[in-house]
Amino acid sequence: MKIWPGQPYPLGATWDGSGVNFALFSENATKVELCIFEGGQGLTETRILMTEQTDQVWHVYLPEARPGLLYGYRVHGPYVPEQGQRFNPFKLLLDPYAKAISGIIEWNDSHFSYEIGHPDEDLSMDQRDNAPYMPKCVVVDQAFSWGNDVPPRTPWDRTIIYEMHVKGFTRLHPKVDEALRGSYEALAGAEVMDYLLSLGITAVELLPVHQFIHDRHLVERGLTNYWGYNTINFFSPHAGYTFHGDRGQQVAEFKTMVKTFHREGIEVILDVVYNHTGEGNHLGPSLSFRGIDNAAYYRLAQDNPRYYVDYTGTGNSLNMRHPRTLQLIMDSLRYWVTEMHVDGFRFDLASTLARELHAVDRLGAFFDIIHQDPVISQVKLIAEPWDLGEGGYQVGNFPVLWTEWNGEYRDTVRRYWKGDERQLGPLAYRLTGSSDLYERTGRRPYASINFITCHDGFTLRDLVSYNEKHNEANGEENRDGSDNNLSWNCGVEGPTDDLTIIKLRARQQRNFLSTLLFSQGVPMIFAGDERGHTKQGNNNTYCQDNELTWLRWDLAPSEKALLEFTKRIIRIRREHPVFRRRNFFRGRAMVNSSLRDVTWIRPDGREMKEQDWYNVYARCLGVLLTGDAIDEPDERGNPIVDETLLLLLNAHYEPMAFVLPPVAERTGQWELVLDTRTTTGRRRRYPLLEPGESYEMESRCTALFRFCEAVFDEE
């Protein structure tokens, strides 16, 4: 086999049309071997000593290598865990820059760099070869016909996000070929596109698709890491979601999926997990980063580098203070934008990425680099603004360019519809884009990613149906999963019949969805919530790859009705700019006009006074949105004008008569647009109401009115 010196960049395995350049960073290694695998089931391993090293990058060029070649690395160096060094050349390691991974891990003790069961635990050194049980890296040909693919670049104020799981969305879809179900190709099918387009969403947010592993303890219990928050490689599309094969075909299949979404005007956002890897704590396996350069890639305890700093609850945290780790993440992000054409990222436990010492630093190097990057700074950036470390809850503290999963929105809206006291003030902030969190830092209402539910926790249907979690299927005696945000049931007061309870729970789902779609900010819907998907009360289905999490497509009449209701409120949002402002409300009179962009209304039809916000028992609120007081230009500089709308919310367990207010400088009547008391949101032939007339709000109900101005004939 011919061997040339090669180049230190780019990192990874790069096919140039003639051969393949291999480059691997390791700051502390003493020797590196490139391992080539050929043959059938019993792969033959050929080891090539990489003698060239430039700037801590080991490199070699193989002129006879071709795409589809399987490879890995063995890295030599000191095995001194007490000093943070864990090199073990008996372990085959995955290239952190591999563009595809073939095969899955077959779990056994050889994957651990120490002797399991040894009295010294990880201080011992295991000399068994794990190569027969390891997946292999694949050399990939990046050529792909993108044609005229153009990113939709949907403005934030028009974005509606749909969080979904690649496999779970199509695994039970009856109109998708059974062999394709659960794959990238299935998501690109006409059946899925037709559904998403009819729903009206503008972006899909995919749960992790970076190559991940299934924890050994889960596999031994017959479970899997279904959600995928256990990344082992930041460049490879997860091979478990491919139909065409894992020898690089998964890359082209993923690209085809993205291209198809773009053709339909839908953006693709990836949920990315750069805060930790699947190698776990000091007793975890040695699969990639740990064996290549443990001290460079991981945050180690300063007083005892044998152990890891863990801000994530997974056993380790990536070392964001090391320039090569920062480079790894930036190279990965740039790769997914430039090569895979994705439109944005949602960063799992993003506060971890901002920790330079221990505190979260919102002006940290990670943010500085992203803001200066001409590629990454132009896509959608979403933070999950918390981690498990001290001071990790950072909602509202991320810098400009970033949006955030707004946990305050979720909690406030849940409390309000549950009927908790003293929620009108907090609710007003959440309905109007959370200016208390974002305005002071110069951000816009769309910095708030609003959500009621997500993959982590109850589904919407379960949220209104269960007071306790039911995670028995996870095999941990129902001890796992958060106990926070429980007891969100609809709170039926007094004895009532089962039918009434069922109707009330269905109405609460409609209340949550309509509140979400009629709030300022960016709404995010969890896939299945729009049609009443249930996980039977399990609020931690991270390990459930089965019909508990897969979406059903044979819908009951009530589920079909909820789906049609959701389509309708999404359509209403898209038709009315008053629900998707790019600037915060001013709440004051416009120039030369008595109109105000927003007015808060009491049930008696009068404007809310200061003391009304502190009424302990108040649970009914009206929001008057003046359509011709938006005071924002569109993309062409023309003023945005909309109808004047009145949103009424009643979280009380009793009906409430709401007096419809007058509209300044306007003469007309109020027309009912939507009422969540009915399954469709419609009340047939409901008469127009004059300002000053009362509208009977059902208990726990939402209503939306539009103001119809009177038209006078000119004499």
Side-chain angles (χ1 to χ4, degrees), residues 607-665:
E607 184 177 349
M608 291 276 288
K609 303 299 182 183
E610 182 70 22
Q611 62 270 21
D612 296 325
W613 294 107
Y614 303 101
N615 186 335
V616 173
Y617 304 106
R619 294 181 177 86
C620 192
L621 182 66
V623 191
L624 180 63
L625 303 170
T626 307
D628 49 358
I630 296 177
D631 196 28
E632 292 179 355
D634 61 17
E635 291 83 354
R636 298 183 178 181
N638 300 315
I640 297 175
V641 178
D642 194 6
E643 297 177 296
T644 291
L645 301 178
L646 176 65
L647 179 64
L648 305 180
L649 305 104
N650 178 26
H652 203 277
Y653 58 82
E654 292 182 343
M656 177 71 69
F658 205 109
V659 177
L660 302 182
V663 178
E665 302 181 6

Side-chain angles (χ1 to χ4, degrees), residues 664-684:
E665 302 181 6
R666 298 289 186 268
T667 301
Q669 298 171 304
W670 288 105
E671 179 185 18
L672 181 66
V673 176
L674 176 138
D675 190 323
T676 60
R677 76 176 69 192
T678 66
T679 58
T680 62
R682 291 183 171 91
R683 297 187 70 183
R684 294 183 179 179

Side-chain angles (χ1 to χ4, degrees), residues 395-432:
V395 173
N397 289 331
F398 277 68
V400 174
L401 291 187
W402 287 78
T403 64
E404 300 174 8
W405 271 26
N406 191 343
E408 295 290 337
Y409 180 94
R410 172 200 60 201
D411 295 345
T412 298
V413 174
R414 286 182 174 190
R415 292 188 187 106
Y416 173 75
W417 282 114
K418 178 173 172 280
D420 284 2
E421 300 173 351
R422 297 183 175 90
Q423 295 304 308
L424 291 190
L427 179 68
Y429 274 118
R430 305 307 150 234
L431 291 174
T432 55

Side-chain angles (χ1 to χ4, degrees), residues 25-61:
F25 158 75
S26 181
E27 181 178 7
N28 297 296
T30 58
K31 184 171 71 172
V32 176
E33 294 174 294
L34 170 65
C35 305
I36 303 299
F37 293 87
E38 299 172 294
Q41 288 186 338
L43 294 175
T44 301
E45 179 182 351
T46 300
R47 302 184 187 182
I48 299 170
L49 183 63
M50 302 176 74
T51 58
E52 298 292 330
Q53 183 188 20
T54 305
D55 189 23
Q56 302 171 347
V57 175
W58 305 75
H59 50 90
V60 68
Y61 183 89

Side-chain angles (χ1 to χ4, degrees), residues 111-167:
H111 290 304
F112 298 79
S113 59
Y114 63 95
E115 296 181 27
I116 291 183
H118 193 282
D120 292 332
E121 292 186 317
D122 60 311
L123 300 181
S124 63
M125 183 174 178
D126 184 89
Q127 298 187 10
R128 284 172 290 185
D129 185 4
N130 71 331
Y133 315 105
M134 273 290 287
K136 311 298 187 294
C137 305
V138 185
V139 175
V140 171
D141 182 357
Q142 293 288 355
F144 181 78
S145 179
W146 282 105
N148 59 351
D149 179 69
V150 177
R153 296 195 181 279
T154 306
W156 269 121
D157 58 293
R158 297 184 181 179
T159 298
I160 301 174
I161 298 174
Y162 190 71
E163 188 193 30
M164 65 192 301
H165 190 281
V166 171
K167 180 177 181 179

Side-chain angles (χ1 to χ4, degrees), residues 261-308:
F261 274 114
H262 284 180
R263 187 181 65 222
E264 302 297 342
I266 297 175
E267 294 183 301
V268 178
I269 299 170
L270 302 187
D271 192 336
V272 290
V273 191
Y274 293 114
N275 54 76
H276 75 280
T277 78
E279 290 185 303
N281 63 15
H282 64 293
L283 298 178
S286 187
L287 307 173
S288 181
F289 308 93
R290 172 175 284 134
I292 292 172
D293 202 317
N294 185 63
Y297 281 121
Y298 290 118
R299 287 287 297 268
L300 305 180
Q302 290 186 344
D303 56 343
N304 189 349
R306 174 186 177 185
Y307 301 105
Y308 295 82

Side-chain angles (χ1 to χ4, degrees), residues 167-180:
K167 180 177 181 179
F169 195 74
T170 62
R171 184 61 182 82
L172 298 177
H173 202 305
K175 294 184 179 180
V176 175
D177 186 291
E178 189 169 358
L180 291 176

